[in-house]
């Protein structure tokens, strides 16, 4: 992937990350989706179709683009209009389903995602090799707290098509978390099993570190004395091991090549600063440049402010 140069740049939230083609599409959609005409729907659908085109088996970037587009269009008429006009287009169906799931999650109304499940099943029949319908269906399973046999059945369908699908692994991590009905033991078993088999630079490489950051946030959320000493989390053996595994390799040129590598580097920079490993973090901030992801920086407030303050702290005294 093409990381930004080491020069400090104005920080900004960019859901496309370093995907310039996707960034251009989002800019175009902002300008053209203000009207609800058929011509507008056709134009936007054609633009989206071109961006979603991919080489066989290159699912990682396509999944990233679908996710970003679905989040961008959560409140738009376009996904529904496109799916209605092209009911046998799996891209249209998946995009509409994903936008429905994200809206239902943001509004805390899991039942609203039921129609998305039907769209996913239809899309899976139209494009049997595509993991995306199953990725979205897994998100429905998480949102609606399906029983584990049903959720794992969907999970296995994703892996049969895209072994290291980043979105699917993170979805399962959330599904198994104690905050969502699972348990800490299930999370540990899931992470341990993945870490033993996964290539070090797989698209889902951040699952272990994500689990540690979520556990850290859980301690912070308890408030009181536990929140005051939450930094101690990063001295525990599992947290130290999770950071040590990736602190130097992820920042090597060309090591991470998946579509959301910059999001993983943001996560790593956040964790390094939480662990007071400022020297490692300083080098990472140079690689990241100015593209900031909302999570995990928004845990402490405005993500851009939190990122800038952490970047300044990383270089103090070095």
């Amino acid at each position: 992937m093409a990381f930004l140069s080491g020069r400090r740049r104005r920080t900004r939230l960019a859901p496309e990350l370093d995907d310039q083609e996707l960034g251009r599409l989002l800019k175009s959609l902002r300008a053209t989706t203000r009207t609800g005409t058929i011509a507008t729907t056709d134009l936007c659908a054609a633009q989206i179709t071109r961006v979603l085109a991919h080489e066989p088996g290159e699912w990682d970037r396509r999944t990233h683009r679908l996710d970003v587009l679905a989040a961008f269009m959560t409140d738009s008429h376009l996904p529904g209009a496109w799916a209605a006009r092209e009911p046998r287009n799996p891209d249209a169906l998946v995009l509409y389903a994903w936008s429905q799931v994200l809206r239902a999650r943001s509004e805390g109304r899991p039942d609203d995602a039921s129609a998305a499940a039907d769209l996913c099943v239809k899309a899976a029949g139209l494009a049997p090799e595509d993991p995306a319908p199953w990725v979205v269906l897994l998100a429905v399973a998480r949102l609606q707290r399906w029983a584990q046999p049903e959720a794992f059945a969907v999970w296995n369908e994703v892996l049969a098509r895209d072994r290291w699908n980043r979105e699917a692994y993170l979805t399962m991590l959330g599904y198994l978390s104690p905050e969502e009905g699972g348990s800490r033991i299930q999370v540990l078993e899931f992470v341990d099993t993945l870490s033993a088999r996964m290539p070090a630079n797989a698209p889902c490489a951040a699952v272990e570190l994500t689990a540690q950051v979520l556990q850290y946030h859980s301690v912070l959320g308890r408030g009181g004395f536990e929140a005051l000493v939450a930094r101690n989390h990063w001295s525990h053996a599992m947290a130290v091991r999770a950071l040590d595994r990736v602190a130097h390799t992820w920042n090597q040129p060309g090591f991470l090549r998946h579509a959301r590598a910059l999001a993983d580097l943001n996560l790593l920079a956040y964790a390094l600063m939480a662990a007071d490993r400022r020297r490692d973090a300083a080098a990472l901030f140079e690689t990241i440049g100015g593209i900031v992801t909302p999570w995990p920086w928004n845990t402490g407030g405005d993500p851009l402010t939190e990122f800038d303050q952490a970047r300044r702290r990383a270089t103090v005294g070095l």
Side-chain angles (χ1 to χ4, degrees):
M1 68 171 294
F3 290 134
L4 298 177
S5 70
R7 297 192 308 274
R8 289 198 176 186
R9 301 187 180 185
R10 179 180 59 84
T11 53
R12 63 189 180 94
L13 298 174
E16 72 273 14
L17 301 176
D18 67 336
D19 190 329
Q20 296 181 6
E21 186 176 359
L22 178 58
R24 288 192 292 269
L25 173 59
L26 294 178
K27 183 177 180 180
S28 176
L29 291 175
R30 289 187 188 99
T32 58
T33 56
R34 297 190 180 98
T35 65
T37 65
I38 292 176
T40 297
T41 299
D42 289 344
L43 173 62
C44 293
Q47 293 175 321
I48 294 170
T49 297
R50 285 195 297 271
V51 168
L52 292 180
H54 66 290
E55 296 297 324
E58 290 185 357
W59 303 116
D60 173 64
R61 186 160 297 277
R62 185 171 182 275
T63 302
H64 163 61
R65 290 176 170 180
L66 276 167
D67 186 19
V68 171
L69 287 168
F72 178 79
M73 298 184 190
T74 298
D75 298 319
S76 170
H77 74 283
L78 178 60
W82 187 20
R85 287 178 61 76
E86 299 185 40
R88 295 190 59 78
N89 184 328
D91 286 348
L93 298 179
V94 169
L95 182 61
Y96 186 31
W98 210 328
S99 67
Q100 287 184 316
V101 171
L102 294 178
R103 184 186 304 113
R105 182 192 301 167
S106 67
E107 295 177 352
R109 301 169 62 178
D111 289 345
D112 288 357
S114 297
D118 295 334
L119 291 168
C120 291
V121 171
K122 184 176 180 181
L126 293 168
E129 77 289 349
D130 189 352
W134 298 101
V135 170
V136 182
L137 191 59
L138 187 62
V140 175
R142 174 188 177 186
L143 184 63
Q144 297 186 335
R145 296 306 310 166
W146 289 10
Q148 289 200 8
E150 286 77 14
F152 274 96
V154 178
W155 156 257
N156 287 329
E157 293 291 346
V158 178
L159 267 56
R161 293 161 173 80
D162 187 11
R163 182 66 183 87
W164 307 114
N165 186 283
R166 182 182 188 274
E167 185 66 26
Y169 277 92
L170 292 176
T171 298
M172 282 303 295
L173 182 66
Y175 174 85
L176 295 171
S177 69
E179 290 78 14
E180 297 190 22
S183 70
R184 181 66 179 156
I185 295 299
Q186 287 181 304
V187 168
L188 292 175
E189 290 176 347
F190 179 71
V191 171
D192 286 346
T193 300
L194 172 62
S195 299
R197 303 174 181 176
M198 174 191 66
N201 63 344
C204 57
V207 168
E208 181 181 19
L209 186 57
T210 300
Q212 289 299 326
V213 170
L214 290 173
Q215 177 64 11
Y216 170 62
H217 288 169
S218 177
V219 176
L220 285 174
R222 295 169 193 164
F225 177 75
E226 288 190 82
L228 289 176
V229 298
R231 184 180 296 274
N232 293 339
H233 170 81
W234 297 103
S235 63
H236 297 164
M238 285 188 293
V240 172
R241 184 166 60 248
L243 275 176
D244 285 346
R245 281 178 177 171
V246 301
H248 303 294
T249 55
W250 281 10
N251 202 26
Q252 293 175 7
F255 185 80
L256 294 181
R257 299 185 297 273
H258 57 278
R260 293 200 166 173
L262 271 174
D264 292 347
L265 293 185
N266 268 260
L267 176 70
L268 177 56
Y270 174 90
L272 288 169
M273 290 302 297
D276 200 28
R277 295 174 58 163
R278 291 183 296 125
R279 187 175 299 277
D280 291 336
L284 198 60
F285 280 118
E286 289 297 311
T287 300
I288 292 171
I291 293 183
V292 181
T293 54
W295 191 85
W297 302 105
N298 58 6
T299 305
D302 174 71
L304 296 178
T305 301
E306 294 295 317
F307 180 93
D308 281 332
Q309 290 177 348
R311 183 167 60 178
R312 286 194 293 272
R313 291 198 310 272
T315 58
V316 172
L318 298 183

